[in-house]
Amino acid sequence: MTVLVLSKTDMSPSALFALVFIAGLVTYTLYGAIWRVYLSPVAHIPGPHFAALTFWNEFYYDVWLGGKYTWKLLEYHEQYGMRFPGARCSEYSMIPGPVIRINPYEVHINDPEFYDELYIGGSKGKSNKWYWSMRMFGQQDVSAFDTMDHDKHRQRREPWNPYFSKQSVARLQPLLVQAVVDKLCMRLREYQKAGKPVVMTHAFACVTSDIISEYSFPEGYDLLEKPEFDSAHYEAWMGLTKLSHVLKQFGWLYPVLDSMPMWVTKWTSPEMYLILQGQKFLLAQAIELSKQRGQPDYKETTSRPSMMKAFMDSPLLPESEKAPSRIKAEAQIAIGAGTLTTTHALKAGTYHILANPDVHSLLMTELEERIPDPNKPPNLRELEQMPYLQAVMHETFRITYGTAHRLSRIFPNRTLQYKDIAIPPGTPISMSQLHIHDNERIFPNHYKFDPSRWQGPNPPFKYLVAFGKGSRMCMGMELAKAELLTTFANMFRRFGRDMELFETVRERDIDTVYDVFNCLASRDSNGLMVTFKQKI
């Protein structure tokens, strides 16, 4: 028998190193695969093995297919169900599994009754955000929205609360929201006289951008002042949100884009260029405010009140939290969130009102009774006392979801118990607003726009979660409500009998078919388009 002996002369040091490296890499990969699938703290939770093994499963649905994982999760819940005994011990029936594992670390729950257990208030315990999920937004741990740690988020959120409270918004509504909506109606009258169709998606984006920028920054955008309804800012933000899944999968990408020369960005990605230009605009305002704070006559000479100024002056924030770069990050989140989600709600709500004659008739009857003179608009309190307008608003929020993407939470200090399933501390756990709002048990015939759901003795407000719940629920909820009520009331009272849909198809232009964190219609969509009958 011949024995092969490997001597030092049989293999060079570099070849030996390569062999050891490859062997180590293979061993590490195999161990990592075995650990993720079989040894992980969440290995006991059912789900597809490929999803437990790698993020490439989610990459395929959200990057390659452009945002489809949210709907794939529903299939997984059906496929990886829970077994319950049938008539005999040997017989089992399957029900949709409410708890599944959807990637190497994350657990997803599809049970509307559990929402309040996951998205809790601060008094019930600490919950953090997940760093991997926060990479979607191009910044991490800078603004209140993308802050992972519970305590730091609580500190950063405090200055937001009084500024976006119900009382503050009520004071703001006649001075700002109504003024911007009046300007919108004036512009719509111009289109009516010219007999031109209006891309209402862009018109609403101008409204929401002007309101949030005027409220938040020393200098607003005034997009409604432009000759045509500005589309560039809205499309830029939509371009960024379409990148969200790529940014989540490849966290190094946004810093690379941010560090590129502006002329390169302008040439390769006009939308990203406009976003970065907007960041510079916000940073310049934050720097100017910071300089003003150092002046003896700061309170007398400073510009008009704004959210950025409130943050700079807040006694709740330490000086380290008032750096212009961080205040700029807060402002960027405000303008992005304040533009996209409310624009989507206004667009979809307007479509459904016009597409459903019964809804349109009931709304017009109420508005004409409650607002005899359209040139004397009611205040927010009076709008809130119009029951059918309120029902239309709630149904709009239901059918537009708020956001399409699941929201992850981590409980750092305790095990979360779902019936007999224990989810260990440190596990990212998520639920999806879209799944709850489309739940047939709670909202029968969920595809129908039906404001009557919110009338009667027991409306299902518990399950309306467009703004989330708990300590991290959306801070702009009251402002969004004021924008919808004011816009719908004024626009339909003045033009409701003259408005008609134009070349708009629900399945193509309105319905959410992609999850890019925000809701996205078909890529062939031209948005909501409306014409106005000309007055003779």
Side-chain angles (χ1 to χ4, degrees):
M1 182 175 69
T2 303
V3 178
L4 178 63
V5 179
L6 187 64
S7 68
K8 293 182 179 179
T9 58
D10 292 324
M11 183 175 291
S12 66
S14 58
L16 182 61
F17 174 80
L19 181 63
V20 171
F21 176 80
I22 292 172
L25 182 62
V26 170
T27 302
Y28 175 81
T29 303
L30 286 174
Y31 173 76
I34 293 170
W35 186 89
R36 284 184 171 184
V37 176
Y38 299 107
L39 304 177
S40 162
V42 291
H44 63 290
I45 295 176
H49 283 331
F50 189 58
L53 180 64
T54 175
F55 286 106
W56 287 108
N57 182 64
E58 186 169 340
F59 173 91
Y60 172 73
Y61 290 102
D62 270 348
V63 177
W64 187 257
L65 297 184
K68 288 293 190 179
Y69 203 42
T70 290
W71 291 271
K72 188 64 179 178
L73 295 183
L74 290 174
E75 295 181 24
Y76 286 157
H77 279 288
E78 293 283 347
Q79 182 179 356
Y80 297 91
M82 301 176 68
R83 297 200 302 170
F84 283 84
R88 296 190 299 270
C89 293
S90 59
E91 295 179 350
Y92 287 88
S93 60
M94 297 289 288
I95 67 167
V99 182
I100 59 171
R101 187 179 177 191
I102 61 173
N103 62 41
Y105 304 102
E106 186 178 359
V107 170
H108 188 267
I109 298 176
N110 186 23
D111 180 353
E113 306 302 330
F114 200 72
Y115 199 87
D116 291 335
E117 300 298 319
L118 180 58
Y119 302 101
I120 59 173
S123 61
K124 292 186 177 181
K126 295 184 177 182
S127 62
N128 298 337
K129 285 192 174 181
W130 187 25
Y131 80 94
W132 189 76
S133 183
M134 286 297 97
R135 299 198 309 193
M136 298 180 79
F137 309 102
Q139 60 183 40
Q140 288 178 290
D141 213 29
V142 184
S143 73
F145 176 79
D146 51 69
T147 298
M148 269 81 76
D149 180 72
H150 173 91
D151 293 324
K152 184 183 286 188
H153 167 264
R154 187 172 183 176
Q155 179 190 61
R156 288 176 170 175
R157 186 183 172 107
E158 283 293 331
W160 286 79
N161 292 333
Y163 218 70
F164 287 90
S165 68
K166 188 174 180 64
Q167 293 77 11
S168 294
V169 170
R171 289 194 300 269
L172 166 81
Q173 189 265 346
L175 301 174
L176 175 56
V177 179
Q178 184 64 56
V180 172
V181 171
D182 285 342
K183 193 178 296 183
L184 167 70
C185 291
M186 183 176 66
R187 296 300 314 281
L188 294 179
R189 187 73 69 190
E190 295 173 5
Y191 277 81
Q192 183 182 35
K193 291 178 179 179
K196 296 167 56 180
V198 182
V199 182
M200 294 301 296
T201 307
H202 296 153
F204 290 142
C206 291
V207 170
T208 56
S209 294
D210 281 358
I211 290 173
I212 191 63
S213 64
E214 186 76 14
Y215 194 40
S216 302
F217 317 144
E219 182 180 346
Y221 285 169
D222 288 331
L223 298 181
L224 282 171
E225 295 289 349
K226 296 191 175 184
E228 301 290 335
F229 288 119
D230 177 85
S231 63
H233 282 80
Y234 173 76
E235 297 300 339
W237 280 108
M238 287 305 298
L240 181 60
T241 198
K242 289 174 186 177
L243 280 176
S244 59
H245 293 302
V246 178
L247 296 176
K248 182 165 70 169
Q249 294 282 344
F250 306 106
W252 47 266
L253 181 58
Y254 190 87
V256 170
L257 294 173
D258 194 26
S259 64
M260 290 170 60
M262 291 296 285
W263 65 268
V264 175
T265 304
K266 186 175 183 179
W267 179 62
T268 57
S269 177
E271 294 86 0
M272 181 60 69
Y273 172 79
L274 195 58
I275 292 293
L276 295 177
Q277 284 288 89
Q279 289 182 3
K280 288 188 174 183
F281 171 76
L282 297 178
L283 182 60
Q285 294 195 61
I287 291 174
E288 181 61 28
L289 276 175
S290 183
K291 289 179 180 179
Q292 291 177 7
R293 288 185 70 222
Q295 298 174 1
D297 55 350
Y298 166 62
K299 291 186 178 180
E300 289 75 24
T301 61
T302 189
S303 55
R304 62 176 174 78
S306 67
M307 184 188 72
M308 291 178 78
K309 181 178 181 300
F311 284 0
M312 286 284 192
D313 296 343
S314 174
L316 302 172
L317 291 175
E319 287 300 314
S320 59
E321 290 286 299
K322 298 179 181 180
S325 59
R326 210 197 70 77
I327 301 301
K328 180 266 295 181
E330 297 281 19
Q332 179 181 344
I333 288 295
I335 191 68
T339 296
L340 295 181
T341 53
T342 314
T343 295
H344 176 58
L346 287 168
K347 175 191 76 172
T350 299
Y351 169 85
H352 287 294
I353 293 168
L354 294 175
N356 293 277
D358 291 345
V359 174
H360 181 264
S361 177
L362 288 170
L363 179 63
M364 291 305 303
T365 298
E366 180 174 86
L367 293 177
E368 288 168 350
E369 288 178 355
R370 298 293 187 99
I371 313 174
D373 185 352
N375 296 313
K376 295 180 179 179
N379 59 34
L380 183 57
R381 183 179 179 183
E382 292 168 327
L383 292 173
E384 291 172 342
Q385 293 172 350
M386 300 183 190
Y388 198 72
L389 177 63
Q390 284 278 311
V392 167
M393 178 190 71
H394 291 133
E395 183 67 353
T396 297
F397 286 139
R398 183 197 70 83
I399 212 161
T400 55
Y401 311 121
T403 58
H405 200 62
R406 63 191 189 273
L407 303 176
S408 301
R409 297 291 183 267
I410 293 175
F411 292 89
N413 303 320
R414 68 182 179 96
T415 297
L416 190 67
Q417 194 74 30
Y418 180 88
K419 298 182 179 179
D420 61 342
I421 299 176
I423 306 174
T427 302
I429 311 166
S430 60
M431 295 182 70
S432 304
Q433 293 159 198
L434 182 149
H435 296 166
I436 295 177
H437 286 190
D438 284 355
N439 188 295
E440 277 291 319
R441 178 181 63 82
I442 299 167
F443 301 107
N445 197 7
H446 75 269
Y447 191 67
K448 180 183 179 181
F449 186 83
D450 184 8
S452 67
R453 301 178 199 274
W454 307 101
Q455 299 177 310
N458 296 303
F461 287 116
K462 174 184 176 181
Y463 304 102
L464 184 62
V465 293
F467 298 96
K469 286 188 178 182
S471 60
R472 293 177 182 259
M473 73 179 296
C474 176
M475 292 173 277
M477 178 178 69
E478 296 300 335
L479 180 59
K481 288 181 178 180
E483 289 177 303
L484 256 70
L485 292 174
T486 306
T487 304
F488 285 163
N490 284 269
M491 182 178 69
F492 281 100
R493 179 61 184 90
R494 300 182 196 190
F495 301 99
R497 301 293 185 186
D498 303 324
M499 297 174 68
E500 294 179 345
L501 294 171
F502 179 76
E503 296 182 358
T504 301
V505 179
R506 176 177 180 175
E507 294 77 10
R508 182 193 66 197
D509 301 310
I510 305 300
D511 289 346
T512 298
V513 295
Y514 294 104
D515 158 21
V516 290
F517 185 77
N518 291 292
C519 300
L520 183 66
S522 166
R523 301 186 190 279
D524 297 325
S525 172
N526 295 317
L528 171 66
M529 299 183 69
V530 169
T531 57
F532 296 81
K533 297 176 185 176
Q534 289 182 286
K535 297 291 186 180
I536 300 176

